[in-house]
Amino acid sequence: MPANYISPISMDALSSLCSELDKNNSIKKEDYEKYHVKRGLRNSDGTGVMAGLTRICSVEGYYILDGERIPKDGKLSYRGYDINDIVKSCIDNDRFGYEEVVWLLLFGELPTESQLVSLREVLAECRTLPDEFIEDMIMKNPSKDIMNKMARSVMMLYSFDENPDDISIPNVLRQSLQLIAQMPTIMNSAYQVKRRAFYNKTMFLHPIRKEQATAEYILNQLRPDKKFTHEEARLLDICLVLHADHGGGNNSTFSTRVLTSSGTDTYSAITAGFGSLKGPRHGGANLRVAAQMNEIMEALPDSTDPSQVKDYLVKILNKEAGDGLGLIYGMGHAVYTKSDPRAVILKENAKKLALEKGYEKEFKTLENIERLTPEVFAEIKGVDKTMCANVDLYSGLVYKVLGIPDDLFTPLFATARIAGWCAHRLEELTSGGKIMRPAYKSVSHSKKFVDISRRVEK
């Protein structure tokens, strides 16, 4: 295990500094209301502030009628194509769809058979990392967090690019295709190194199989014996398809577009996406769901009993259980109201495999959480709000069924979402034209400068 860096800042000194910081960094909630500031770029009704236009992805969860937000079944579309139709076509024709979605997001239309073959060939060739990259950049500096290691690896790839700062469309497209292809390799390498450095377990680095689809390649790299079933690979492929994009307003994609608008390089812009997605309010939520489910199952005699689960959800909302924040993870969404199509698809396609592999109790526990949370919210909070399960409620269980470790829940999300980040970066470069620079109003007061000899601690 690598030696920990010991900070030269003592806890007493840090406590004193934090006290100084606290004095001058709080802003009153009423000031936001006074100056009509839309915190979190949200309108007063919870909808997002309109910050841009996109042709890549549409996320719909309600409609406005006479100024009122009316819930409706959620709809997710890639380039105008309903996600349900995309997934159904892949299932009906028994083919992997992630590469098809990559083409669709980047180029705007469904690929022909020959276009899809050529894309798969390009991605397969690009899976290899530069010589000695894994040894020098990943193995020599193991990380406890795979998302941080993936972000660092993306930044380091800048140094291996002969033309990293060129933001012409051909060059950014080249960089995008390479990064999309390399993410599974980086993710698995970072995880294997963590296994060895922090868990004292054997590290497996298998040869790259160019003929495999992305979902197959990921399972091949993760499994010590490289064995997996076609059904497992197909379920993982569905996960990749569902996570590939979610509009320009989600936090990680917006972060990528903000950096892109500055004219910075591809590696810096994509790294911003990783930093954002890691957060527990974004991609990291799937880990919170898994922890919440485990806690409920351990605390209750029978978590398949709705009455027991309901009582525990009440405790969570009252901050008497859970992480103390009063949040039920995996429920509710900023846009979706009646349903999150990604959650619906995952639940439907994961059920059979989950039951076959002995995860019936976990599946029923999540169903109880999904069904009872709106009822508990209405009783405890007095809010009759339409609320649905979001994709995070079931994605963690899907990964567990597939034998994917908790360490890779969010990294796997990022491995899929990089396709969307790259598509939005290209769109921002071709259509944005302005650096994003929203306004912040200063609420500090003018002060007369005081010479250091006359200053006193307050």
Side-chain angles (χ1 to χ4, degrees), residues 61-63 68-73 335-338 385-386:
Y62 57 86
Y63 65 94
E68 184 179 355
R69 189 164 72 155
I70 310 298
K72 72 172 188 178
D73 289 328
V335 178
Y336 297 126
T337 52
K338 294 180 71 175
K385 179 182 178 182
T386 303

Side-chain angles (χ1 to χ4, degrees), residues 21-28 31 443:
L21 186 148
D22 289 342
K23 293 177 184 177
N24 301 298
N25 280 282
S26 62
I27 297 176
K28 299 175 181 177
D31 284 345
V443 291

Side-chain angles (χ1 to χ4, degrees), residues 436-448:
M436 293 192 195
R437 208 294 188 188
Y440 268 67
K441 179 176 178 60
S442 172
V443 291
S444 62
H445 303 290
S446 296
K447 300 175 184 177
K448 186 176 180 179

